[in-house]
Amino acid sequence: MPFDRSIEHAQSLDQADPLASFRDRFWVPKNADQTDTVYFVGNSLGLQPKNVSELIQEELQKWRELGVRGHFESESPWMPYHEMLAPTMAQIVGARENEVIVMNTLTVNLHLMMATFYRPTEKRHQILIEDHAFPSDFQAVESQIKLHGFDPRESIVTVKHGAETGLLSTELICSTIDQHRDSLALVLLPGVQYYTGQFLDIKQIAAAAHRYNISVGFDLAHAVGNVPMQLHDWDVDFAVWCNYKYLNSGPGAIGGCFVHERHATDTELPRMAGWWGHDKSTRFLMENCFDPIPTAEGWQLSNPPILALAAIRASLAVFADAGGMEPLREKSLALTGYFEQLVDAVLGDRINIITPKTQSDRGCQLSLEVKLDGVSGREIHDKLESSGTATDWREPNVIRAAPTPLYNSFADVHRFVSVLERAIS
Ligand SMILES: *Cc1c(COP(=O)(O)O)cnc(C)c1O
């Protein structure tokens, strides 16, 4: 049967979508003509869930009416507020509750994790990263290496993206680990690569590093809330992420951090410490000692910003109501699969999709490489923006478009591809 390119087909897919009603739980930005924007930049800043305002108001009211007593009173006192986030967050990343903590921001958490998991010696001082690592990750790695008195030119090992495919090969990653087995201290890779949308084989990479007792951490900025993971079972040592992309918790939202149970319970592990990582029962004795909480909470430094946590609480409630990552992934595969088929059918001759074709190797994002042939990339992007679609353009010619299962529809995909076709022709 030929692929059905009609809008009616997209609409029928929406009608059959059990998660379709979740779109109403988000504020979808409007165009000038009051139609909904086709919002495909949830990989950059997720949309605002409608319950955010209410949950932040709740905390403002508590502060207003209770003052400092808010730490202990009400149904959601501030002292253990962050603990309420752990169950759903743990489910989203496939962890145990004692392995996750919502705190700081991604890059800060990366530094905190490297303080524990990157302790170089003369012999083992290298960190393996990808050659197109996100700048902040590269900068964090380079600065840690320098902080320890090593030379980044000798201590950074990069894995190259395939010259033809632009993708990372698990085989190459594993053979690079083999090759540097005696000098690598840490492997740090993305869960989902931000540019291509490639979902790496986290389990296999972790096993390859552990064969030689090399620590392995993942940056899950583009993976969390996008793809299902099993961080505990995959035996990842640590992971860090931000909550403002697929986790819809607002600009600059507090980030997340995973520490595997076997490390989290090890109170002897060196770390950067602060009073909020100290044993709760003795914290307020104000003694000058450090007795770490034997969970991921033991890496907390400060008492957390409650207003910011309220937004994450709101977002996690939406994920929980949707049934977690499994139903979301099911819709996501269908939505992105449809997107791919439609792009291939309508624009196959002018657009090359650089994201992996295999579903298990990608999340919801497709990175579309436009064969420009004299057309200006900037002009195409401007046309997309002025036609009520929001995507992310990377010079010279790549559009990153991420239909998310919580608030995007098959009709959104259909509209986006029509707009793109008009913009290109
Ligand atoms: C978005 C993103 C970040 C952002 O870091 P912050 O510390 O939250 O500003 C870092 N790394 C990757 C790979 C990202 O995609």
Side-chain angles (χ1 to χ4, degrees):
M1 209 175 68
F3 177 66
D4 188 344
R5 293 159 56 159
S6 70
I7 180 66
E8 289 76 19
H9 177 56
Q11 286 162 344
S12 73
L13 293 170
D14 281 326
Q15 265 152 23
D17 169 16
L19 294 175
S21 66
F22 276 83
R23 181 187 181 90
D24 295 335
R25 297 184 59 168
F26 290 86
W27 296 106
V28 180
K30 299 277 186 203
N31 300 312
D33 64 359
Q34 290 309 302
T35 54
D36 286 351
T37 302
V38 173
Y39 195 82
F40 280 1
V41 279
N43 54 354
S44 184
L45 180 70
L47 288 180
Q48 183 184 144
K50 287 182 179 167
N51 58 341
V52 163
S53 157
E54 181 193 322
L55 288 188
I56 291 180
Q57 283 302 327
E58 212 175 275
E59 301 317 315
L60 286 173
Q61 186 183 354
K62 248 163 42 191
W63 180 20
R64 210 154 47 221
E65 295 174 0
L66 299 175
V68 74
R69 282 167 29 226
H71 282 109
F72 308 100
E73 294 178 20
S74 88
E75 279 183 1
S76 51
W78 299 328
M79 280 298 274
Y81 197 93
H82 62 277
E83 294 170 24
M84 290 191 301
L85 310 181
T88 309
M89 196 59 99
Q91 279 174 11
I92 288 176
V93 298
R96 299 191 171 160
E97 279 178 40
N98 61 357
E99 294 175 318
V100 296
I101 177 67
V102 174
M103 61 178 188
N104 312 312
T105 47
L106 189 155
T107 308
V108 174
N109 288 336
L110 183 53
H111 276 295
L112 291 183
M113 288 295 104
M114 284 199 280
T116 295
F117 294 98
Y118 178 60
R119 283 177 290 128
T121 61
E122 263 323 302
K123 193 157 173 274
R124 266 187 199 272
H125 55 89
Q126 290 182 321
I127 302 181
L128 181 144
I129 56 174
E130 51 159 333
D131 68 342
H132 292 310
F134 194 85
S136 199
D137 298 44
F138 174 83
Q139 288 149 357
V141 160
E142 185 186 47
S143 60
Q144 285 273 340
I145 288 170
K146 287 182 179 169
L147 203 58
H148 285 284
F150 289 88
D151 179 352
R153 282 171 303 185
E154 281 158 24
S155 296
I156 294 181
V157 175
T158 54
V159 178
K160 290 209 183 337
H161 290 245
E164 305 245 304
T165 62
L167 301 174
L168 287 163
S169 125
T170 308
E171 238 175 34
L172 182 61
I173 292 169
C174 293
S175 65
T176 310
I177 292 172
D178 275 341
Q179 201 186 329
H180 296 268
R181 63 180 153 236
D182 298 322
S183 47
L184 276 173
L186 175 66
V187 170
L188 178 70
L189 289 166
V192 170
Q193 212 280 344
Y194 75 96
Y195 187 75
T196 62
Q198 181 183 9
F199 182 17
L200 297 193
D201 190 337
I202 295 176
K203 183 180 177 182
Q204 204 180 326
I205 293 166
H210 286 161
R211 206 167 296 138
Y212 310 115
N213 282 322
I214 301 162
S215 294
V216 57
F218 283 87
D219 177 337
L220 304 180
H222 283 260
V224 68
N226 178 17
V227 290
M229 292 176 284
Q230 294 300 332
L231 296 184
H232 177 87
D233 290 345
W234 293 346
D235 207 25
V236 169
D237 292 302
F238 71 87
V240 293
W241 59 92
C242 48
N243 286 317
Y244 47 81
K245 292 174 180 166
Y246 296 107
L247 238 37
N248 310 319
S249 302
I254 302 304
C257 188
F258 165 91
V259 184
H260 197 280
E261 192 171 47
R262 83 192 127 80
H263 305 301
T265 53
D266 179 357
T267 54
E268 300 294 315
L269 272 183
R271 70 193 74 194
M272 305 274 225
W275 73 320
W276 233 250
H278 182 93
D279 178 38
K280 291 170 202 176
S281 65
T282 58
R283 183 183 289 154
F284 287 92
L285 297 179
M286 309 305 262
E287 286 169 338
N288 282 336
C289 60
F290 181 60
D291 187 6
I293 302 168
T295 72
E297 285 188 54
W299 275 263
Q300 282 187 118
L301 299 180
S302 304
N303 77 102
I306 298 297
L307 299 182
L309 290 187
I312 302 183
R313 187 183 174 204
S315 164
L316 291 175
V318 179
F319 272 83
D321 289 348
M325 288 311 296
E326 231 175 273
L328 286 170
R329 175 65 164 172
E330 194 178 320
K331 173 172 172 186
S332 178
L333 290 177
L335 193 61
T336 295
Y338 171 70
F339 187 16
E340 178 182 42
Q341 282 184 303
L342 198 58
V343 168
D344 282 344
V346 177
L347 290 160
D349 54 335
R350 282 159 289 171
I351 293 227
N352 174 39
I353 300 176
I354 58 181
T355 305
K357 298 215 176 309
T358 312
Q359 292 199 325
S360 55
D361 293 344
R362 69 186 185 202
C364 71
Q365 169 185 321
L366 291 185
S367 304
L368 312 174
E369 186 179 51
V370 183
K371 296 175 194 157
L372 287 173
D373 283 337
V375 207
S376 136
R378 185 114 300 274
E379 235 170 79
I380 294 173
H381 185 239
D382 291 349
K383 272 191 198 160
L384 291 177
E385 291 284 309
S386 64
S387 311
T389 68
T391 52
D392 162 305
W393 180 270
R394 292 281 150 143
E395 291 294 339
N397 63 340
V398 168
I399 303 166
R400 297 188 304 165
T404 71
L406 273 173
Y407 51 75
N408 286 121
S409 63
F410 292 86
D412 278 345
V413 170
H414 193 276
R415 187 151 145 237
F416 175 74
V417 175
S418 320
V419 167
L420 182 59
E421 191 195 8
R422 261 181 282 133
I424 290 182
S425 32

